[in-house]
Amino acid sequence: MKKVIFILFALALVSCRPSSNQSASESSASDSVELKKQDAWESAHRLDSAEALLAEEGNEHDAEASASNKPARQYSEHELNDIMDTIGQRLGKCKELAGCISSYCAVTNGIEVNFIYNTAERRRLFRQKVYDAPILKFVGPESPIRMSKTGVSDTLGISIRPTKDVFPLTAEAVTFILRNNSNNELTCGEHCEIAFLDAEGVWRKLPRNEIVNDIGYEVRPNGSRTVSGRLNPKAFPTPATRYRFFYPITHNGKNIMLIAEYEMR
C-alpha cells in the first residue's frame, strides 16, 4: 500500500514560476582532451545549422552589447511582478517555445529564464515573441554535460527494471518497475536523472524538465511500484542510443542510488 508522506515541492524560490506551456556538471575543465570532445560534440549535435547559429549568436551579441550600454536602473518588486505576468501570458501563446522552458524567476533586479536546452535561436525567439529587456538572463545547458554518476540495479532485495528493453524515440516518458523484496519498507519519490551514451562513448545528462513534485511514497516488503521519467523531445530530440535511468531511494535510513539501462530506437 502506498502512502504520500511529503508535500509539493517547487524546486525553486517562491519568486520562480514553472513555464505555463510545460506538461510537468560534471565537466572536467582541466582535461583538455575532454574539452575537445565537448567542442566536437556541440558542433556535431547543435540543433541549429552552423551558419544560422553563428548569425544568431552575432545578432544576439550585438543586441546584448547594446543593452549593456544602457544606463542601469533598479526595478521595483511591483515592476518585476508585472514583467513576470507579461512573460507568463505571452509564453503561453508562443508555440515555438512550448516545452522548451522549465521556469522563469525574478532575481536581484532581473528576470532569469531557464531553458531546458539553451540555444541562440531560442534566446532570439524569446526576445522577439515573449519579452526583451536588458534585465533578462538566460540560463540552461548549451550542450549536454558529462555524467559519471553510478548506481546499482539490484541490492538488499531491492531492484529496478525497465518495462521495455527498447522504447520508441517518440516516447514522452520511460517507465520502470521498482520491487521491494527486502524485509523493510523503502521510501521513494518522483525525482530521477537520465543519461545517454553519445557518439564518442561518453555518458551525458539528457536535457529535460526536472521540476517535479517532491512527493514521498512507501513501498512495503514484497511490494512494487511503477516509476517514470518524463522526456522533452521538443526541447532536446531524443538520440537513438543507450540510456541510464537513475532513481534514488531510502532504505533503513540509508540512501541508495538505483540504476536501470535501456535503449531508445
Side-chain angles (χ1 to χ4, degrees), residues 26-36:
E26 298 170 3
S27 64
S28 178
S30 61
D31 188 341
S32 60
V33 174
E34 174 57 26
L35 286 176
K36 290 179 180 178

Side-chain angles (χ1 to χ4, degrees), residues 21-255:
N21 51 33
Q22 288 296 93
S23 64
S25 129
E26 298 170 3
S27 64
S28 178
S30 61
D31 188 341
S32 60
V33 174
E34 174 57 26
L35 286 176
K36 290 179 180 178
K37 286 185 177 181
Q38 186 85 2
D39 291 340
W41 196 96
E42 294 173 20
S43 297
H45 297 76
R46 184 72 70 177
L47 295 183
D48 310 299
S49 67
E51 295 80 3
L53 179 62
L54 289 173
E56 297 300 344
E57 290 286 7
N59 293 337
E60 181 179 305
H61 175 77
D62 293 341
E64 293 184 350
S66 176
S68 65
N69 292 328
K70 297 179 180 179
R73 73 174 184 86
Q74 291 296 118
Y75 286 77
S76 68
E77 181 178 353
H78 178 73
E79 287 177 309
L80 290 177
N81 284 332
D82 284 346
I83 294 173
M84 292 276 285
D85 290 339
T86 299
I87 289 175
Q89 293 169 7
R90 294 177 181 174
L91 194 57
K93 300 176 183 178
C94 184
K95 295 181 179 180
E96 295 91 336
L97 292 176
C100 295
I101 295 173
S102 60
S103 65
Y104 51 98
C105 306
V107 295
T108 303
N109 201 41
I111 304 292
E112 185 175 274
V113 180
N114 194 333
F115 283 101
I116 293 171
Y117 191 62
N118 188 359
T119 69
E121 171 63 12
R122 288 171 183 172
R123 295 191 294 268
R124 182 191 68 79
L125 281 172
F126 191 95
R127 290 187 182 279
Q128 181 184 65
K129 299 196 173 186
V130 180
Y131 200 84
D132 188 13
I135 61 171
L136 291 179
K137 179 182 179 182
F138 299 114
V139 298
E142 296 186 27
S143 63
I145 62 174
R146 185 185 178 98
M147 193 170 180
S148 58
K149 189 186 293 288
T150 60
V152 293
S153 60
D154 195 326
T155 182
L156 304 174
I158 302 167
S159 64
I160 190 168
R161 299 284 186 274
T163 56
K164 298 179 182 179
D165 291 330
V166 180
F167 290 93
L169 291 177
T170 54
E172 295 186 356
V174 286
T175 53
F176 305 82
I177 300 298
L178 170 67
R179 299 188 185 280
N180 181 12
N181 291 326
S182 72
N183 296 322
N184 301 93
E185 64 184 28
L186 63 82
T187 58
C188 58
E190 295 186 357
H191 178 69
C192 65
E193 290 183 283
I194 300 176
F196 69 96
L197 191 66
D198 73 5
E200 287 75 40
V202 177
W203 287 101
R204 297 189 181 274
K205 188 172 182 177
L206 183 71
R208 61 193 196 90
N209 185 7
E210 294 188 7
I211 295 181
V212 297
N213 295 330
D214 190 19
I215 296 178
Y217 303 97
E218 292 179 357
V219 182
R220 296 183 176 181
N222 299 315
S224 65
R225 176 176 177 77
T226 300
V227 298
S228 64
R230 290 176 295 136
L231 306 177
N232 291 89
K234 181 172 182 180
F236 186 82
T238 311
T241 183
R242 291 168 54 199
Y243 286 78
R244 287 176 175 171
F245 178 82
F246 296 93
Y247 189 66
I249 66 164
T250 301
H251 181 258
N252 277 346
K254 180 181 179 181
N255 295 326

